[in-house]
Amino acid sequence: MTNSSSDEQAVGGAVTLGLLAAWALHDLDELATVPGWWRRNLPALRERYPAVPEAVWRRAGAVEGREFAVAVGAMAAVVASASVAGRLTGGRSAPYQTALDAFGLHGLVHLAQAGLARGYTPGSATSPLVVVPFTLWARHRLRRAGVLRATRPRDLAVGLGLAGAATVGAHAVARRLTGATEARPR
């Protein structure tokens, strides 16, 4: 067996395609809770954080369940592509490793959001139970197989930036496909 094959066995589908599975579990939490959570919490958040531009609050409050579901579907394509790239390369793929890092950082962002909101926020339940543990486990498996790239702070910033851009893009696609408007007057 070649070294490449043993690495691919060491970094199997649980690590690479597992990113898509962990992401799906996490996004089920968000799909079930986002629209209702915003309706219930938006007034208190506006009051607590008056420095946040009103356009941000309007946009957040304008996302309806259907638009959010379509955005999740668009993001699924991004995560699936990264996961498959990881699988095909035995975990070596830069897009896969970047997506994995971004997923873990995304979980930490959810935990920070919950802290700022002083309670549950969509995604904060599955972040400490699925997102962060999966990311740490997968990175450990990649390191053990000798395929984990060195991660510099710049790489983490790029990964988080790409995740943010993919999220904005997914919502733009969803608005276009659902005919949603930028923001409804409140």
Side-chain angles (χ1 to χ4, degrees), residues 3-181:
N3 191 21
S4 176
S5 295
S6 65
D7 286 348
E8 288 178 25
Q9 281 186 346
V11 179
V15 174
T16 54
L17 300 177
L19 172 61
L20 180 59
W23 174 87
L25 285 173
H26 172 68
D27 268 44
L28 285 174
D29 172 15
E30 292 181 332
L31 276 170
T33 59
V34 163
W37 187 89
W38 274 116
R39 278 192 299 279
R40 288 187 307 277
N41 292 282
L42 192 59
L45 290 170
R46 271 186 167 122
E47 188 175 312
R48 188 177 301 146
Y49 300 105
V52 173
E54 185 58 29
V56 172
W57 297 128
R58 276 196 314 273
R59 182 65 202 125
V63 176
E64 294 180 354
R66 186 170 149 222
E67 178 190 343
F68 187 75
V70 172
V72 167
M75 186 61 83
V78 173
V79 177
S81 295
S83 296
V84 168
R87 181 68 180 136
L88 293 173
T89 62
R92 287 178 179 79
S93 163
Y96 164 73
Q97 289 192 23
T98 299
L100 178 65
D101 290 342
F103 182 61
L105 291 169
H106 167 81
L108 297 177
V109 168
H110 275 300
L111 295 176
Q113 288 170 334
L116 289 170
R118 300 179 188 151
Y120 172 82
T121 57
S124 66
T126 51
S127 287
L129 299 174
V130 176
V131 177
V132 174
F134 175 80
T135 301
L136 293 173
W137 173 79
R139 285 181 54 80
H140 171 75
R141 292 292 304 267
L142 293 170
R143 186 178 301 109
R144 240 179 62 202
V147 299
L148 183 65
R149 294 174 319 172
T151 307
R152 302 165 300 186
R154 177 185 169 278
D155 299 327
L156 296 176
V158 167
L160 201 51
L162 289 173
T167 300
V168 168
H171 279 277
V173 166
R175 278 192 303 280
R176 176 96 174 166
L177 292 176
T178 63
T181 58

Side-chain angles (χ1 to χ4, degrees), residues 43 74 76 186:
R186 295 265 172 215

